[in-house]
Amino acid sequence: MALIGSKWKLLIMRNLQMRTWRFNELKKDLEGISQKVLTDSLRSMEKDGIVVRTVYAEVPPRVEYSLSELGKSMHPIIDAMADWGRAYQQMVNKQ
């Protein structure tokens, strides 16, 4: 939980499961996240070996983020959490 326990880290991982993202794409897609929180989260996840940061030697520089093998191994856990969330939402909607 310490590695992905924050709201934003889980949402970042959800996005990175789909494809590789650039920083500004993530910022736009994750409505409400500040630039500082996104930067800190990505750096922390990179340090923990969950995210891979790829820098391309271009002008202007291009940086992309993707899941590492360790990050990809968390895919079943995130899917299970999403399934539980959908089931919970259906239960709440019925009440």
Side-chain angles (χ1 to χ4, degrees):
M1 284 306 293
L3 297 178
I4 62 164
S6 78
K7 165 188 171 182
W8 294 115
K9 285 183 180 181
L10 196 55
L11 293 175
I12 291 166
M13 288 190 67
R14 176 204 63 190
N15 280 23
L16 293 177
Q17 281 183 333
M18 293 183 261
R19 63 178 175 88
T20 298
W21 292 69
R22 294 179 71 176
F23 183 89
N24 285 333
E25 291 178 315
L26 283 169
K27 176 119 175 41
K28 287 177 188 173
D29 193 70
L30 299 170
E31 190 173 316
I33 194 169
S34 70
Q35 183 165 333
K36 180 185 182 339
V37 170
L38 180 57
T39 298
D40 290 349
S41 296
L42 287 168
R43 283 182 183 162
S44 171
M45 294 167 76
E46 182 183 9
K47 182 180 141 279
D48 293 333
I50 296 170
V51 169
V52 174
R53 180 178 185 261
T54 306
V55 180
Y56 295 91
E58 300 174 350
V59 177
R62 177 171 51 115
V63 178
E64 293 181 339
Y65 295 90
S66 59
L67 288 178
S68 67
E69 289 304 313
L70 176 63
K72 289 176 186 177
S73 73
M74 298 170 102
H75 192 53
I77 297 165
I78 294 170
D79 286 347
M81 291 173 70
D83 291 343
W84 182 90
R86 283 188 287 275
Y88 175 78
Q89 191 64 41
Q90 288 177 348
M91 182 188 76
V92 167
N93 290 340
K94 287 180 183 179
Q95 294 178 352

